[in-house]
């Protein structure tokens, strides 16, 4: 077999992709790196039921995935944000799952709740001491993800802080964020809902606790959609449409949960 840059479901677990002519059909997906677990588990499950179909994934980022769908270079683009107005002229975005983003602080922090506005001011450096929010007289230590992270993109989009955050540390994994916050009484960070642990304290946002129910009903505001992007005026191939329908069905909700995100309410 020839090694390819695409992630094939038959080799997902080891992170190596293979291209093969043994498959009767191929369905190509391209885009959001944040959607790797979601597309991986859906593709693997679909392939197990349809072994002649290979679903591939090219982790290029949301913008590139949207462009790939628009230009016909991929059957399905993958985006961890909603489509913009100009993109909707040519494309359709269908939400396959939701990702709740939680704010985490050290367990010693006395705060319990922040508004979206306060979070934005914290990360832009407009609030720099915890006492300004009723906490201890101590400097705020801002922890975030590295440039290019889908979680960072989602967080900065919702909080209107894109290219304005004053990070003390930019870390390459959610686990590193949680560990760093757990070890620094003045730190605050953000992480996907599925990744939280008892090592840190999860704050409510605008008085709402993050949960599957509050993400689904939209009352928890710090969230982002995981979107399948397709051409508006051109039908998918038969195989791509079957995979699309499978991914959107209620039957895969347990797989969505297993991937660490929230199913869309049906």
């Amino acid at each position: 077999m020839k090694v390819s840059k695409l992630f094939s479901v038959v080799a997902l677990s080891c992170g190596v992709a293979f291209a093969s002519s043994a498959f009767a059909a191929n369905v190509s997906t391209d885009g959001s790196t944040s959607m790797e677990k979601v597309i991986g588990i859906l593709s693997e499950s679909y392939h197990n039921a349809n072994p002649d179909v290979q679903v591939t994934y090219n982790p290029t980022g949301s913008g590139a995935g949207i462009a790939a769908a628009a230009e016909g270079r991929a059957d399905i683009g993958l985006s961890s944000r909603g489509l913009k107005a100009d993109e909707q002229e040519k494309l359709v975005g269908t939400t396959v799952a939701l990702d709740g983003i939680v704010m985490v602080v050290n367990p010693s922090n006395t705060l319990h709740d922040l508004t979206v506005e306060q979070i934005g001011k914290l990360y832009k450096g407009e609030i720099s001491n915890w006492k300004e929010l009723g906490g201890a007289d101590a400097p705020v230590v801002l922890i975030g993800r590295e440039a290019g992270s889908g979680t960072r993109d989602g967080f900065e989009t919702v909080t209107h802080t894109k290219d304005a955050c004053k990070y003390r540390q930019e870390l390459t994994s959610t686990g590193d964020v949680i560990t760093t916050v757990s070890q620094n009484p003045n730190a605050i960070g953000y992480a996907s809902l599925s990744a939280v642990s008892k090592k840190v304290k999860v704050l409510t946002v605008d008085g709402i606790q993050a949960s599957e129910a509050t993400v689904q009903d939209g009352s928890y505001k710090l969230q982002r959609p995981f979107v399948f992007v397709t051409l508006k005026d051109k039908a998918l191939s038969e195989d791509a449409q079957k995979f699309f329908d499978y991914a959107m069905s209620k039957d895969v909700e347990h797989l969505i949960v297993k991937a660490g995100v929230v199913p869309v309410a049906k």
Side-chain angles (χ1 to χ4, degrees):
M1 287 187 179
K2 182 180 178 181
V3 176
S4 164
K5 291 183 180 179
L6 297 183
F7 283 105
S8 167
V9 297
V10 298
L12 186 67
S13 62
C14 59
V16 179
F18 299 96
S20 172
S21 60
F23 297 99
N26 289 297
V27 178
S28 59
T29 71
D30 186 305
S32 171
T33 57
S34 297
M35 292 178 65
E36 180 175 354
K37 288 184 179 180
V38 172
I39 195 65
I41 199 168
L42 291 175
S43 299
E44 185 173 29
S45 176
Y46 188 78
H47 175 72
N48 288 340
N50 302 273
D52 291 337
V53 180
Q54 179 191 37
V55 181
T56 59
Y57 164 58
N58 195 18
T60 58
S62 294
I66 291 169
E71 296 164 9
R73 292 183 285 105
D75 294 306
I76 300 170
L78 306 174
S79 175
S80 52
R81 64 166 174 82
L83 295 180
K84 300 174 183 177
D86 61 325
E87 294 167 340
Q88 293 178 29
E89 294 176 5
K90 187 176 181 179
L91 300 166
V92 177
T94 307
T95 302
V96 65
L98 301 166
D99 184 28
I101 300 172
V102 296
M103 303 308 303
V104 295
V105 294
N106 187 274
S108 65
N109 195 310
T110 59
L111 293 186
H112 298 283
D113 180 76
L114 290 172
T115 66
V116 173
E117 182 181 8
Q118 287 171 333
I119 294 168
K121 288 183 176 181
L122 279 165
Y123 272 83
K124 287 186 288 186
E126 295 172 9
I127 297 174
S128 59
N129 193 297
W130 286 112
K131 69 179 180 181
E132 298 175 65
L133 297 172
D137 183 3
V140 177
V141 177
L142 300 172
I143 308 300
R145 292 292 304 278
E146 80 285 3
S149 161
T151 305
R152 171 169 167 166
D153 180 72
F155 169 80
E156 293 184 353
T157 298
V158 176
T159 57
H160 306 291
T161 57
K162 190 165 288 292
D163 300 322
C165 291
K166 309 297 184 182
Y167 294 111
R168 174 74 67 82
Q169 288 182 270
E170 299 177 40
L171 303 174
T172 58
S173 75
T174 294
D176 287 343
V177 170
I178 290 174
T179 297
T180 299
V181 171
S182 73
Q183 295 173 348
N184 188 330
N186 300 324
I188 183 171
Y190 53 80
S192 291
L193 173 60
S194 62
V196 297
S197 76
K198 294 181 179 180
K199 294 195 297 183
V200 290
K201 180 179 180 179
V202 178
L203 302 179
T204 57
V205 176
D206 289 321
I208 304 297
Q209 183 72 49
S211 68
E212 180 175 317
T214 58
V215 171
Q216 280 185 337
D217 67 20
S219 59
Y220 184 77
K221 301 302 182 184
L222 204 56
Q223 61 169 277
R224 59 179 171 161
F226 282 170
V227 179
F228 275 13
V229 181
T230 54
L231 284 167
K232 181 178 287 187
D233 298 322
K234 183 180 179 180
L236 290 170
S237 69
E238 181 179 355
D239 289 296
Q241 186 64 57
K242 286 181 178 179
F243 173 69
F244 182 98
D245 292 342
Y246 173 76
M248 297 298 166
S249 71
K250 196 173 181 64
D251 295 338
V252 302
E253 285 190 357
H254 68 290
L255 298 177
I256 298 293
V257 173
K258 189 175 181 180
V261 288
V262 178
V264 178
K266 297 293 192 288

